[in-house]
Amino acid sequence: MRSMSAATRRIRINTQTRSTITGKIITVPAEHVAAALLFSAVKDVRQYLISVCFESDGKETFIAASDGIKLFVSKVPFEGYVPAGVAFKAVVPTVLLAPMCKKPNGNFLIIELGEHRALKVTRPDTGTIVQGMAMDCKFPDWRRIIPTNYSGEAASVDPELMLACKKAFATLKNINAKQASALPDFYFNGAHSGVRVQYPGFDAISVVMPYRGSVPEGAGELPAFGTRVEEEEDVSA
């Protein structure tokens, strides 16, 4: 039988731990974290791409994730405790969050950040607690990535990226993605700018990158059966 990875063993052990981390605390909807996880990378040497970033100034909380090709950011009202004049910012590994976001069902997560990046994530409805360390890395400034304007000029986008946005929309609404028919709003800005995606009813934005580079030879050519056949002029007379 294959042995569990060190990360998995650590998570299973820590779900039984009830020690308290005293520090900054935020409470976030599980649906928003689950949606963000759809945009993080599965494997990457860049730690911030296999994480979810949480930022709060004590007034509002932002949840962001990216795999380098697509980005998700949502804003939720602040709940928790952050000392005045102190910001909450934690880059949390996806391996800690994924098991906590199964079947969100309108529940929430409590994220506590202590000294030396000590981290505790609690899901009150199940009583599950996971402890670990926040990533020692800087998450990119997602505000600089979001296009502020759009021209409406079309661009080619990988269908998998658009599917991720549809799944995120369904996750935010807490419905099964296979049963969801509504799509978020896509704002195109040509082939040289990211496509901005907005989710009606939620303070959430995504950015997906269109295809770039040269077009392969023959791409986009109309099949022969779709072309009009020109009648040859009769010159026998």
Side-chain angles (χ1 to χ4, degrees), residues 106-189:
N107 292 293
F108 58 91
L109 305 180
I110 300 173
I111 301 175
E112 300 179 54
L113 182 64
E115 295 181 351
H116 309 296
R117 297 183 287 109
L119 188 73
K120 182 169 76 171
V121 183
T122 305
R123 180 159 167 173
D125 65 301
T126 62
T128 306
I129 296 176
V130 175
Q131 293 192 113
M133 300 285 290
M135 290 287 197
D136 185 17
C137 62
K138 183 178 180 180
F139 194 84
D141 184 1
W142 49 265
R143 294 168 181 82
R144 299 180 60 183
I145 301 173
I146 300 174
T148 56
N149 300 313
Y150 78 98
S151 64
E153 181 183 351
S156 297
V157 179
D158 186 341
E160 290 295 329
L161 300 182
M162 302 183 77
L163 180 60
C165 296
K166 180 183 178 182
K167 288 181 178 179
F169 197 20
T171 301
L172 290 171
K173 295 190 290 184
N174 198 27
I175 60 176
N176 191 312
K178 293 182 179 179
Q179 300 174 343
S181 58
L183 288 171
D185 297 331
F186 292 84
Y187 295 87
F188 290 85
N189 200 27

Side-chain angles (χ1 to χ4, degrees), residues 23-202:
K24 296 170 282 188
I25 303 172
I26 60 170
T27 299
V28 293
E31 285 89 356
H32 286 249
V33 181
L37 287 170
L38 295 170
F39 288 73
S40 60
V42 177
K43 292 182 180 180
D44 202 290
V45 296
R46 294 165 291 183
Q47 293 183 330
Y48 57 84
L49 295 184
I50 53 173
S51 306
V52 176
C53 180
F54 297 88
E55 299 179 9
S56 183
D57 59 1
K59 298 179 181 178
E60 52 194 15
T61 299
F62 294 95
I63 304 166
S66 175
D67 63 359
I69 300 175
K70 58 185 185 292
L71 166 75
F72 175 88
V73 182
S74 71
K75 183 182 74 171
V76 297
F78 171 76
E79 290 187 28
Y81 169 74
V82 176
V86 177
F88 181 106
K89 186 166 185 178
V91 183
V92 182
T94 57
V95 70
L96 295 180
L97 296 169
M100 307 293 281
C101 293
K102 294 179 179 178
K103 298 181 180 180
N105 299 329
N107 292 293
F108 58 91
L109 305 180
I110 300 173
I111 301 175
E112 300 179 54
L113 182 64
E115 295 181 351
H116 309 296
R117 297 183 287 109
L119 188 73
K120 182 169 76 171
V121 183
T122 305
R123 180 159 167 173
D125 65 301
T126 62
T128 306
I129 296 176
V130 175
Q131 293 192 113
M133 300 285 290
M135 290 287 197
D136 185 17
C137 62
K138 183 178 180 180
F139 194 84
D141 184 1
W142 49 265
R143 294 168 181 82
R144 299 180 60 183
I145 301 173
I146 300 174
T148 56
N149 300 313
Y150 78 98
S151 64
E153 181 183 351
S156 297
V157 179
D158 186 341
E160 290 295 329
L161 300 182
M162 302 183 77
L163 180 60
C165 296
K166 180 183 178 182
K167 288 181 178 179
F169 197 20
T171 301
L172 290 171
K173 295 190 290 184
N174 198 27
I175 60 176
N176 191 312
K178 293 182 179 179
Q179 300 174 343
S181 58
L183 288 171
D185 297 331
F186 292 84
Y187 295 87
F188 290 85
N189 200 27
H192 300 288
S193 177
V195 179
R196 191 174 78 232
V197 185
Q198 295 181 201
Y199 302 87
F202 300 93

